[in-house]
Amino acid sequence: MRISYLLAACLLIVASSSCNRQETPLNPGSAGENPNEVIPKSAINALVNEQLRLNDRFNWKMVGDKVAWSALVQGDSILAVGYRPAGTGNLDEMIDKIDIRSQSWQAARQTVLNLIAENEKVTGANAKNIITYEASRLPVFYVKASRLATVKALRASGMVRYAEPSGYGKYMNDGQAAKRSPATESGGLSFGCDANLPNTSLVAGTDYLNITPGAKQSWNYALHSIPQAWTKSTGSNVKVMVIDTGTSPDQANLGSSFNQGASTGRTVEKGVTYPGGTPADVCGHGTKMAGVVAAPRGVNGNSAGIAYNCNLLAVHAAENVVLLSSESLQGVADAYVQGGDNASVKIISMSMGTIFESGQVTDAVNYANNKGKLLFCAAGTTNSFFGGLLGVIYPAYLPAVQAVTGVTESITTPCENCHTGSQVAFTIIMEKNGNRRNPLTTTATGDAPGTVGGSSVATASAAGIAALVWSKYPSYPKDSIVARMKRASSNYPNRDSKLGWGYVNAAVAVGN
């Protein structure tokens, strides 16, 4: 995944003119406070940067009420509120077992809503309409809020787990949302998006091998012993959920031609959790990730996916690769919950992330993990300047997730833009030493392959390998699948402080 230099600069170089100017609230007339008291974004960004420097992570609980409120009114004014009955402890290990429709949870919800209405000074019908979104399984809702008193009251309440300005990242660089990009649906920032066109410089025998019945095998598959693993498993009867930006409706290899050649008898489904979206990929990134995992080993010259006989569920959950908007956080969280509730889903792969922790996404990740799903997330990809500061990004550093990053053919060297850190579990060889060629994948349309790099492709590749393993051992729980991957990795039995267990030998992981 890729974070732009502008975002990095606003976090790291607070002295730049675009980040240092005096801002006013997005909606100063409705802020309910003196606009002059709103903390400027340059100062908020500096506080975010300081926590990233000290802790390699940022959570809104790390800053005070006024900072959180200032971020709220200078963002989209959407406050994500996680609630609980009084006396309820940590929900991480029980988030999938609670019933938010029960009397105690409904009473807690109403108490928190009353608190918001009181401090926002809304009554009657207006009080009923303050919720803009409510999760179906998780104890969280969004409200439109603007008063400092509301933020203070919520953060002081024992019935509130978190109260976060969910959309600040989208607005953090100027006084309004970024201009609409043709690569996005919502006018948001278009990180990681492109036209996903074929790579016309690929060389047969060097960048790929032609394999039966008429497909291409990416150059890096041999380095992971994937062809040897294929003699034992091709991913059959394992459903992989790819949470990303959707898939191109014009790519038949992920649609009507999903079953062709050596890929038969499997299913492909396309869903959407991004508000107002469709399953279609308007970014390009989701199509690439789905192709790496599950593209058919077909007859038309396309690049074969690692688990070319697995079942695929591709979900359009965000507008681009960096999760900065309230809509994307909602979409991602809803996707994890849907994956958790889908009994046929075994593996969930997400090659997206952010620098801002989200209580709702953490809830959803824990929900899916508790439901027995094996979760892979991208450790992060960016330019070397930003990558030099940050280790593994959110949500890949969560304990419930297997974080994945990319390395070069040198094995011990991260790809130029790939993040590393103590939370990394596995690596994938995805960058050639000389020309920095990346692995092959499926393009927006047609059968000529493109290429894709960073920790994104590493994550999708690790998910594909896991599908090969789970297909061979269908009765195993997820922890046993991870254990087989660990034992088949280059650093085992030791875990490197930056690159985890190392790169996975798929043939060894699949076994005899």
Side-chain angles (χ1 to χ4, degrees), residues 194 196-199 202 219 288 437-441 443 449-453:
D194 58 36
N196 191 16
L197 299 175
N199 189 324
L202 297 175
W219 63 269
K288 297 175 187 178
R437 174 72 77 217
N438 294 136
L440 275 62
T441 191
T443 53
T451 54
V452 61

Side-chain angles (χ1 to χ4, degrees), residues 39-353:
I39 297 173
K41 280 184 274 184
S42 56
I44 299 172
N45 295 344
L47 290 170
V48 173
N49 171 56
E50 180 68 6
Q51 293 298 334
L52 292 171
R53 185 183 68 81
L54 293 174
N55 301 301
D56 276 343
R57 64 196 303 164
F58 177 77
N59 187 299
W60 287 105
K61 293 178 181 178
M62 294 174 171
V63 297
D65 296 341
K66 193 168 183 179
V67 175
W69 167 73
S70 297
L72 173 70
V73 298
Q74 295 189 99
D76 57 7
S77 296
I78 297 297
L79 196 65
V81 181
Y83 60 91
R84 64 184 171 193
T88 305
N90 190 303
L91 294 182
D92 289 355
E93 295 182 0
M94 56 179 288
I95 192 70
D96 60 312
K97 298 177 178 64
I98 64 174
D99 180 7
I100 61 174
R101 294 176 297 276
S102 67
Q103 183 177 356
S104 61
W105 282 93
Q106 284 295 297
R109 171 186 176 276
Q110 190 59 53
T111 298
V112 173
L113 281 173
N114 291 344
L115 185 65
I116 296 169
E118 176 185 350
N119 284 279
E120 287 292 302
K121 300 188 182 305
V122 295
T123 58
N126 291 331
K128 297 179 180 179
N129 296 327
I130 58 176
I131 293 180
T132 63
Y133 155 81
E134 187 160 15
S136 61
R137 300 280 191 192
L138 304 176
V140 57
F141 51 75
Y142 290 179
V143 294
K144 199 82 170 178
S146 61
R147 297 182 62 84
L148 175 57
T150 304
V151 174
K152 286 183 174 181
L154 289 173
R155 284 161 61 106
S157 172
M159 302 181 77
V160 175
R161 298 181 295 128
Y162 52 82
E164 304 167 341
S166 62
Y168 175 69
K170 182 177 175 180
Y171 295 84
M172 66 187 295
N173 291 330
D174 52 37
Q176 58 184 359
K179 293 181 179 179
R180 183 176 178 84
S181 165
T184 66
E185 293 175 272
S186 65
L189 306 172
S190 56
F191 302 130
C193 300
D194 58 36
N196 191 16
L197 299 175
N199 189 324
T200 58
S201 65
L202 297 175
V203 178
T206 300
D207 297 322
Y208 65 88
L209 295 178
N210 290 307
I211 57 174
T212 58
K216 293 181 175 64
Q217 174 187 299
S218 181
W219 63 269
N220 65 327
Y221 285 14
L223 299 177
H224 286 272
S225 299
I226 289 171
Q228 290 83 358
W230 282 342
T231 66
K232 306 294 181 180
S233 175
T234 57
S236 299
N237 301 315
V238 174
K239 180 176 284 188
V240 181
M241 182 184 202
V242 175
I243 298 177
D244 212 284
T245 61
T247 56
S248 171
D250 300 319
Q251 181 44 261
N253 289 297
L254 298 174
S256 60
S257 299
F258 193 62
N259 286 295
Q260 60 166 297
S263 299
T264 59
R266 61 191 188 137
T267 62
V268 57
E269 302 169 67
K270 300 180 181 182
V272 56
T273 54
Y274 183 77
T278 71
D281 183 6
V282 297
C283 170
H285 192 266
T287 302
K288 297 175 187 178
M289 297 305 107
V292 169
V293 174
R297 181 171 175 171
V299 298
N300 55 18
N302 185 44
S303 174
I306 291 174
Y308 61 77
N309 263 321
C310 76
N311 301 316
L312 175 67
L313 172 55
V315 178
H316 176 184
E319 74 267 40
N320 55 66
V321 183
V322 183
L323 307 176
L324 297 175
S325 69
S326 298
E327 294 86 357
S328 287
L329 296 177
Q330 173 186 331
V332 165
D334 284 350
Y336 272 113
V337 171
Q338 287 188 16
D341 286 339
N342 189 324
S344 62
V345 168
K346 293 282 191 180
I347 299 163
I348 301 178
S349 177
M350 188 176 81
S351 297
M352 303 186 293

